[in-house]
């Protein structure tokens, strides 16, 4: 007889370490998002860095399990409508990635038409609220005039979070920590503008001593000098100023020197560049750096982009799996990203060549020892 041992099967019904009081943390508010938008508008290097990261993200190729669906899937990714005037999954992913960098959270939607994906839509975070739906879920609410409503088809939504805090569904913007540094930088630039306005546009002090003017009142004599001086300064042609008596002219502020801003400005820019992870030479900053240092910075940028690609890969995979399922094919695809630059491909080819050469030399040495 066979004695069957009854196994104790325990099924997890919830996350043990998660609190039951959902919504305890505060999500990113409209004020914080407006602050990040203001940073991009007022600090050109921040805006340029985010655009550089978007352009350097590169393109991707998708390979599905069913070879019959491959051609249709590629055509869909190239021609699908994006928002009101865009086309192609690359356009959607670029906007999605830019929102992810700026606000730490990005939301998109697959719009159905006739039972198939007809368009991809980038949702604005100003009209949405994200709430925790248990420890492993997130709810998306749409704010309307009369209140708010929950999105009824969450499977058609695409939600990503960049560097989220533990237990929170929303992410962290790469611009966090830059408002103070950017404020100091803008203050330096504003002070420079004011100083150049004061010292660059030279102002003169005309002093006239009224002694010995033959009884002419001092006020009248001063007005005559002022009129002649203004006439000489307003003239576009070379003009002489002639005055009678003891008249002295002195430039106001000509002896003052504007503070050197190169060091503090560079310190602020170094903090911004370090936070965004873009090499300085890609932003037009001519800081002294060796060729090896530039190569190391490029390698670090490659690592950053690979990390961003890992965040975006599930989004692409979900779009493709949904399209395959709605078209009647078996879901399942592989997302492969292109090399970031041609220089990377050359480096990889050289590395493979050196590895193969070293392996060949080892085999020759082992053959000689065997003889």
């Amino acid at each position: 007889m066979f004695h069957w041992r009854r196994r104790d099967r325990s099924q997890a019904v919830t996350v043990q370490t998660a609190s039951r009081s959902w919504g305890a943390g505060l999500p990113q508010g409209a004020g914080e998002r407006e602050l990040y938008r203001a940073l991009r508008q007022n600090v050109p290097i921040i805006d340029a860095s985010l655009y550089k990261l978007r352009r350097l993200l590169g393109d991707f190729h998708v390979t599905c399990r069913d070879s019959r669906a491959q051609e249709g899937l590629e055509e869909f990714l190239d021609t699908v409508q994006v928002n009101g005037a865009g086309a192609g999954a690359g356009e959607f992913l670029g906007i999605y990635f830019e929102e992810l960098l700026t606000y730490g959270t990005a939301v998109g939607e697959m719009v159905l038409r006739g039972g198939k994906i007809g368009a991809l839509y980038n949702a604005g975070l100003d009209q949405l609220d994200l709430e925790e739906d248990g420890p492993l879920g997130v709810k998306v609410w749409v704010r309307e005039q009369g209140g708010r409503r929950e999105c009824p088809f969450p499977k058609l939504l695409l939600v990503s979070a960049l560097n989220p805090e533990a237990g929170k569904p929303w992410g962290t913007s790469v611009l966090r920590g830059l408002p103070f540094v950017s404020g100091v930088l803008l203050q330096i630039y504003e002070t420079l503008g004011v100083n150049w306005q004061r010292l660059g546009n030279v102002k003169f002090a005309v002093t006239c001593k009224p002694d010995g003017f033959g009884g002419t009142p001092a006020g009248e004599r001063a007005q005559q000098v002022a009129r002649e001086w203004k006439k000489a300064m307003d003239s576009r042609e070379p003009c002489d100023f002639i005055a009678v008596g003891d008249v002295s002219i002195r430039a106001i502020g000509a002896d003052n020197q504007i503070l050197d801003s190169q060091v503090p400005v560079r310190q602020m820019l170094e903090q911004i560049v370090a936070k965004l992870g873009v090499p300085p030479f890609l932003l037009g900053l001519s800081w002294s750096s060796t060729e090896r240092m530039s190569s190391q910075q490029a390698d670090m940028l490659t690592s950053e982009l690979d990390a961003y690609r890992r965040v975006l890969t599930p989004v692409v995979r979900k779009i493709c799996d949904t399209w395959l399922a709605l078209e009647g094919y078996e879901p399942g695809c592989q997302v492969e990203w292109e090399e970031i630059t041609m220089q990377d491909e050359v480096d990889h080819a050289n590395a493979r060549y050196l590895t193969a050469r070293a392996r060949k030399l080892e085999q020759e040495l082992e053959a000689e020892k065997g003889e």
Side-chain angles (χ1 to χ4, degrees), residues 71-83:
E71 183 178 355
L73 180 59
E74 292 178 354
E75 182 180 359
F76 162 76
L77 294 176
D78 292 337
T79 60
V80 61
Q81 179 182 351
V82 176
N83 300 323

Side-chain angles (χ1 to χ4, degrees), residues 27 93 123 160 184 248:
L93 204 64
S160 298
V184 175
S248 62

Side-chain angles (χ1 to χ4, degrees), residues 283-323:
L283 301 173
L285 299 175
S286 57
W287 294 345
S288 59
S289 61
T290 62
E291 182 179 358
R292 182 172 181 82
M293 184 182 298
S294 300
S295 178
Q296 291 175 350
Q297 292 175 350
D299 292 339
M300 294 176 60
L301 177 61
T302 302
S303 301
E304 291 285 339
L305 293 174
D306 287 338
Y308 292 141
R309 287 175 171 183
R310 286 193 292 269
V311 178
L312 297 175
T313 297
V315 177
V316 180
R317 187 179 293 116
K318 184 175 181 179
I319 294 174
C320 296
D321 287 345
T322 304
W323 183 88

Side-chain angles (χ1 to χ4, degrees), residues 170-191:
W170 43 84
T172 304
S173 171
V174 297
L175 305 182
R176 189 177 70 170
L178 293 183
F180 172 76
V181 176
S182 302
V184 175
L185 182 64
L186 292 177
Q187 185 177 6
I188 295 174
Y189 286 153
E190 183 178 359
T191 306

Side-chain angles (χ1 to χ4, degrees), residues 232-264:
M233 296 300 296
D234 292 342
S235 177
R236 296 184 178 180
E237 300 293 333
C239 183
D240 297 329
F241 172 70
I242 301 175
V244 179
D246 190 0
V247 179
S248 62
I249 301 173
R250 181 173 57 88
I252 300 176
D255 298 334
N256 296 332
Q257 295 182 356
I258 301 177
L259 294 176
D260 185 13
S261 62
Q262 184 175 0
V263 174

Side-chain angles (χ1 to χ4, degrees), residues 5 9 27 107 153 215 268 297 325 342:
R5 179 177 296 179
R9 298 181 179 178
V107 179
F153 306 105
M268 298 301 105
Q297 292 175 350
M342 183 61 67

